[in-house]
């Protein structure tokens, strides 16, 4: 697969064994690997590389301070533009190392090897990099497209169940937005074929981004669930995927109230898949902190915001809504669903 933005920004998305890929590329290129330290104990082959740096990766250290630490490592290791930086880790890691790569010497070659389902199916694709700042998600960031994204589904084997379901949430998002077959597949199967599912999920993301790589309008579709979801993630300390699952649910209730769709059948599909994959809907206390954290990204046009809405399963669009009206409706929905 290819995500071709323009000549300079093309990501080659390859399904391969990560170790085999690295062995091949190292023959003709300088590579410097930065790897999530937790992976070291599961994947002993990582220790066979000389130019590898293991670094702790959590949502908590997806921050400005850790950027400085990584810049210092690159400085001390004398990493110049003859190198490829290889980021091996989950979405918070690829987001962060992607930002580092996009700014180091004004942009250095980058390869992602995503190791969580969420990162394979979503986070590593599409060029958005970033770190959190002042408790706001991804406030500092760039668009930067890695040369290669290598998907090795063997990494899924060591993920705890909580992180499998996180990935499922973003995959369900892609299905609801544009690909009914994802939703049908998720209802049908008992044992997931990750390669099949990830390919379908990536295809949705690529199709959306190709039309609007720098988020002028169409790409806002991918923020479905994220306006409320990011607020839930930061105020309730949930994993990204589970927060986004809840965000999708509450955003659908809001749009149903505001414009009459999606109809309950579509909301019910989300709830049923939630039951199947153990993604739980949380209830809020009359939650003002959550309202304060609602983050409209760059989705604003004066007093209006662009909001992604699902019309039917696999059919979605971005619409313009008055911001105050939107916030008021979020408040009403949260209060109705509060304890
Ligand atoms: N750039 C984008 O377009 C985009 C899209 C969606 C999400 N994201 C970002 O992705 C982040 C969430 O990423 P995530 O869910 O991948 O989590 P993560 O990167 O925070 O990793 C979570 C934990 O999983 C561990 N881990 C990673 N791979 C593992 C493996 N194979 N086996 C066992 N443990 C493993 C890590 O060490 C870490 O402790 C959020 O910061 C979110 O903002 C970005
Ligand atoms: Zn997300």
């Amino acid at each position: 697969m290819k995500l071709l933005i323009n000549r300079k920004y093309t990501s080659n998305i390859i399904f391969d064994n990560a170790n085999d890929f690295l062995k091949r590329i190292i023959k003709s290129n300088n590579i410097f690997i930065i790897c999530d330290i937790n992976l070291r104990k599961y994947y002993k082959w990582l220790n066979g590389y000389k130019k590898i740096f293991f670094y702790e990766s959590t949502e908590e250290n997806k921050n400005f301070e850790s950027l400085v630490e990584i810049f210092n490592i690159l400085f001390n290791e004398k990493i110049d533009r003859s190198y490829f930086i290889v980021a091996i880790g989950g979405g918070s890691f690829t987001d962060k190392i992607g930002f580092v790569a996009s700014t180091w010497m004004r942009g250095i070659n980058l390869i992602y090897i995503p190791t969580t389902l969420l990162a394979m199916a979503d986070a590593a694709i599409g060029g958005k990099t970033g770190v959190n700042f002042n408790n706001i998600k991804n406030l500092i960031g760039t668009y930067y497209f890695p040369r290669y994204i290598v998907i090795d589904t063997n990494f899924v084997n060591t993920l705890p169940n909580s992180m499998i379901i996180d990935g499922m949430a973003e995959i369900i998002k892609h299905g609801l937005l544009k690909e009914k077959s994802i939703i049908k597949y998720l209802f049908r199967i008992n044992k997931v074929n990750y390669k099949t599912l990830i390919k379908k999920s990536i295809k949705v993301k690529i199709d959306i981004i190709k039309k609007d790589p720098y988020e002028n309008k169409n790409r806002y579709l991918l923020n479905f669930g994220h306006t409320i979801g990011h607020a839930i993630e930061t105020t309730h300390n949930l994993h990204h995927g589970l927060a986004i699952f809840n965000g999708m649910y509450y955003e659908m209730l809001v749009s149903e109230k505001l414009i009459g769709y999606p109809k309950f059948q579509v909301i019910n599909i989300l709830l049923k898949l939630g039951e199947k994959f153990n993604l739980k809907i949380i209830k809020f206390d009359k939650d003002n902190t959550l309202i304060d954290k609602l983050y409209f990204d760059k989705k604003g046009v004066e007093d209006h915001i662009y909001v992604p809405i699902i019309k039917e399963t696999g059919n979605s669009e971005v619409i313009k809504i008055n911001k105050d009206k939107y916030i008021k409706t979020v408040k009403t929905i949260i209060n109705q669903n509060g304890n």
Side-chain angles (χ1 to χ4, degrees):
M1 278 194 267
K2 250 190 206 307
L3 172 56
L4 178 71
I5 301 300
N6 57 38
R7 253 167 204 275
K8 203 172 157 211
Y9 300 121
T10 305
S11 292
N12 291 289
I13 303 163
I14 300 167
F15 286 74
D16 198 355
N17 175 287
N19 194 16
D20 291 347
F21 172 87
L22 286 172
K23 278 189 195 146
R24 273 201 316 277
I25 199 144
I26 212 167
K27 282 188 188 148
S28 44
N29 296 281
N30 290 330
I31 67 165
F32 183 66
I33 304 171
I34 311 182
C35 180
D36 180 329
I37 199 164
N38 284 339
L39 297 169
R40 195 177 196 170
K41 61 176 181 285
Y42 300 120
Y43 303 96
K44 301 287 181 217
W45 55 264
L46 288 164
N47 296 307
Y49 290 92
K50 281 200 198 89
K51 282 254 179 198
I52 187 162
F53 184 82
F54 292 98
Y55 191 80
E56 196 184 344
S57 167
T58 58
E59 191 61 36
E60 290 70 49
N61 82 351
K62 186 182 167 184
N63 60 22
F64 195 71
E65 291 73 21
S66 87
L67 291 177
V68 179
E69 286 177 25
I70 295 166
F71 285 135
N72 270 316
I73 292 157
L74 298 183
F75 185 81
N76 293 333
E77 293 286 332
K78 302 189 172 49
I79 304 303
D80 62 27
R81 293 184 67 183
S82 71
Y83 277 81
F84 271 88
I85 290 185
V86 182
I88 309 182
S92 62
F93 202 61
T94 50
D95 274 11
K96 179 163 65 184
I97 306 301
F99 180 84
V100 166
S102 72
T103 48
W104 185 249
M105 298 189 163
R106 297 205 174 84
I108 181 168
N109 289 316
L110 174 65
I111 297 171
Y112 282 161
I113 302 185
T115 61
T116 63
L117 179 59
L118 185 143
M120 294 179 204
D122 184 2
I125 315 294
K128 274 190 178 180
T129 81
V131 292
N132 308 329
F133 193 66
N134 280 348
N135 211 20
I136 295 181
K137 292 270 302 170
N138 307 323
L139 194 59
I140 302 174
T142 53
Y143 287 97
Y144 196 65
F145 294 86
R147 290 273 288 279
Y148 298 97
I149 300 160
V150 183
I151 305 208
D152 179 347
T153 51
N154 287 313
F155 283 111
V156 173
N157 297 332
T158 52
L159 288 174
N161 194 44
S162 61
M163 294 195 56
I164 300 275
I165 66 176
D166 270 337
M168 284 297 175
E170 300 275 15
I171 293 171
I172 293 170
K173 179 189 84 177
H174 288 161
L176 286 176
L177 283 171
K178 289 281 173 204
E179 192 57 69
K180 227 177 178 167
S181 76
I182 293 182
I183 303 296
K184 281 191 178 156
Y185 179 80
L186 289 175
F187 272 116
R188 202 175 62 236
I189 44 92
N190 288 319
K191 191 172 176 343
V192 180
N193 177 329
Y194 287 107
K195 200 168 160 184
T196 307
L197 194 57
I198 291 165
K199 273 192 178 160
K200 280 175 182 285
S201 180
I202 290 178
K203 188 176 173 304
V204 171
K205 192 158 181 184
I206 287 180
D207 286 349
I208 292 173
I209 292 172
K210 266 185 180 166
K211 291 184 194 133
D212 176 21
Y214 301 109
E215 201 164 77
N216 289 313
K217 185 172 177 197
N218 196 50
R219 192 175 171 154
Y220 291 143
L221 281 175
L222 295 167
N223 290 333
F224 172 49
H226 284 63
T227 300
I228 298 184
H230 274 165
I232 298 174
E233 189 177 351
T234 43
T235 52
H236 288 69
N237 206 14
L238 292 186
H239 281 195
H240 182 76
L242 183 57
I244 274 18
F245 180 78
N246 275 275
M248 289 191 277
Y249 173 68
Y250 286 107
E251 283 181 23
M252 284 204 277
L253 292 185
V254 170
S255 78
E256 199 275 332
K257 195 164 181 70
L258 276 171
I259 51 176
Y261 52 88
K263 299 285 176 222
F264 183 69
Q265 293 91 308
V266 180
I267 304 179
N268 211 22
I269 284 174
L270 184 85
L271 293 175
K272 289 238 165 71
L273 284 177
E275 268 170 36
K276 178 160 180 176
F277 292 104
N278 205 17
L279 284 152
K280 294 202 164 56
I281 296 294
I282 54 169
K283 302 252 180 212
F284 303 105
D285 306 323
K286 312 248 179 273
D287 204 330
N288 285 323
T289 49
L290 190 133
I291 303 288
D292 294 341
K293 287 281 173 204
L294 282 182
Y295 178 52
F296 293 103
D297 206 358
K298 295 143 292 270
K299 296 188 279 279
V301 189
E302 291 171 7
D303 51 354
H304 284 72
I305 49 166
Y306 287 132
V307 177
I309 45 128
I310 309 291
K311 293 163 83 178
E312 295 161 35
T313 310
N315 181 359
S316 54
E317 64 179 51
V318 175
I319 62 164
K320 209 167 143 188
I321 293 183
N322 177 280
K323 190 171 173 175
D324 292 338
K325 199 167 155 191
Y326 190 80
I327 292 178
K328 218 169 134 194
T329 314
V330 175
K331 262 189 195 161
T332 314
I333 293 290
I334 292 217
N335 284 338
Q336 271 168 10
N337 286 274
N339 292 317

